[in-house]
Amino acid sequence: MARTQAKSFRSPEEVRRFPHGRVEIVSHSETMIGRFWLEPGWRWSRDVGPIAHTHSCQIHHQGVVLKGRLHLESDAGEACEIGIDDVYDIPPGHDAWVVGDEPFEAIEFDSARIFAVPADGDRVLAAMLCTDIVESTAHLRRLGDFAWRELLLEHNRQVRQELNRFRGREIQTTGDGFLAVFDGPARAVRCARAIGSSVTHLGIAIRAGVHTGEVEFVGDNVRGLAVHETARVAGVAAAGEVLVSATTKHLLAGSELAFEPAGIHELKGLGEARELFRLTGSG
């Protein structure tokens, strides 16, 4: 049974320091809360970029400002500032710096898990989700370039909304699909199901594959045989299906997610055939 808990930033479980700033971290169950303290003169590209080894910050931030001001500039050149009492949502792909002579202080949820953590050579066990729109070429031919582009933008918005809800980390888009990484397979599968439901009103269907394996984070990308296996699993799925690998199904024992056998498939370039399973139930 869940119980009420209280923890204090006066005794953080972890303090991650970097030039001109720090993040103090406490956690409750699977939720990680971070207090960001950034000194005047702090800039992401100068003080955290060399740690992350990415051209811009690739983390999705959500939080509330307690003190100071922060200027943000996206990779697309859009700029804004956030200040005290602002509740913010900052998508991946941006630079940021403290404005003025006052330190910037904010509380964020989950982003503290990976902020200022070195990425190069970091091999971890991760659940990966790969999706794509079924018959996208036929949709393009039917709708025309402009309408298809508008539909694709709305699809992308819906997908990113679900990735955020299930704490997925967007790795890349593939034109009409996404590759994302999660810290647990249950979140990846539930996110896949939610994406499928959220885009039905657009008149499209997605196929989705989930696999769990060891990957290496290199900058803002991820690599390893497991990434290719995830894409191959998704490629087997039919419209509206979520297929998972046997490894993922095994890890989901007790999750209340239900599956049925989807056959044994030769996955191109991966050697021996793999047994796959189809999501059928809720949980």
Side-chain angles (χ1 to χ4, degrees):
M1 178 181 294
R3 61 187 181 86
T4 302
Q5 300 182 62
K7 296 183 179 180
S8 174
F9 281 117
R10 290 189 296 270
S11 302
E13 297 165 14
E14 179 185 353
V15 178
R16 193 174 304 136
R17 301 181 186 277
F18 42 85
H20 302 103
R22 67 181 184 273
V23 179
E24 299 166 345
I25 299 168
V26 298
S27 62
H28 285 297
S29 185
E30 296 179 344
T31 302
M32 188 170 286
I33 305 101
R35 178 164 66 181
F36 285 65
W37 180 268
L38 309 176
E39 299 172 2
W42 177 88
R43 182 165 184 157
W44 186 92
S45 55
R46 181 178 58 243
D47 297 322
V48 180
I51 299 171
H53 290 189
T54 56
H55 71 280
S56 61
C57 182
Q58 298 299 311
I59 296 174
H60 188 170
H61 297 268
Q62 287 185 314
V64 58
V65 180
L66 304 180
K67 179 189 297 186
R69 295 192 66 80
L70 194 70
H71 182 93
L72 297 125
E73 187 168 306
S74 73
D75 290 349
E78 299 173 340
C80 71
E81 285 191 7
I82 55 176
I84 188 167
D85 292 337
D86 284 345
V87 178
Y88 55 85
D89 187 307
I90 306 167
H94 58 270
D95 194 8
W97 56 89
V98 173
V99 176
D101 299 326
E102 184 179 18
F104 177 83
E105 184 179 359
I107 300 293
E108 294 192 6
F109 294 85
D110 292 314
S111 55
R113 186 186 305 275
I114 54 175
F115 189 82
V117 174
D120 279 351
D122 183 16
R123 294 191 66 83
V124 298
L125 184 68
M128 287 158 288
L129 166 63
C130 183
T131 71
D132 73 272
I133 299 173
V134 178
E135 297 183 344
S136 58
T137 302
H139 287 301
L140 170 59
R141 188 181 303 115
R142 175 175 58 86
L143 295 170
D145 289 342
F146 178 78
W148 169 248
R149 185 166 57 250
E150 292 300 304
L151 185 148
L152 194 59
L153 288 172
E154 179 59 20
H155 161 270
N156 292 352
R157 189 188 72 80
Q158 295 279 356
V159 172
R160 289 183 172 118
Q161 180 174 302
E162 298 302 339
L163 289 177
N164 179 56
R165 184 156 73 99
F166 290 93
R167 305 177 195 171
R169 174 178 174 181
E170 178 185 332
I171 299 299
Q172 63 182 34
T173 60
T174 57
D176 59 358
F178 280 76
L179 174 66
V181 173
F182 297 75
D183 59 6
R187 285 203 186 106
V189 172
R190 290 184 174 119
C191 185
R193 181 180 60 198
I195 292 170
S197 297
S198 71
V199 301
T200 54
H201 74 282
L202 300 175
I204 58 176
I206 67 159
R207 59 169 61 90
V210 177
H211 175 56
T212 308
E214 190 175 71
V215 298
E216 182 178 7
F217 286 99
V218 180
D220 55 359
N221 207 347
V222 64
R223 67 186 182 190
L225 185 62
V227 179
H228 298 282
E229 184 160 351
T230 305
R232 300 292 187 268
V233 172
V236 173
E241 279 190 337
V242 179
L243 295 186
V244 306
S245 63
T247 302
T248 300
K249 179 179 179 293
H250 176 74
L251 291 171
L252 287 169
S255 69
E256 299 182 357
L257 291 163
F259 301 90
E260 64 181 13
I264 297 176
H265 300 265
E266 295 280 350
L267 302 181
K268 183 179 178 181
L270 297 176
E272 63 184 42
R274 264 73 160 176
E275 185 175 14
L276 302 180
F277 295 85
R278 180 183 300 110
L279 177 68
T280 61
S282 60

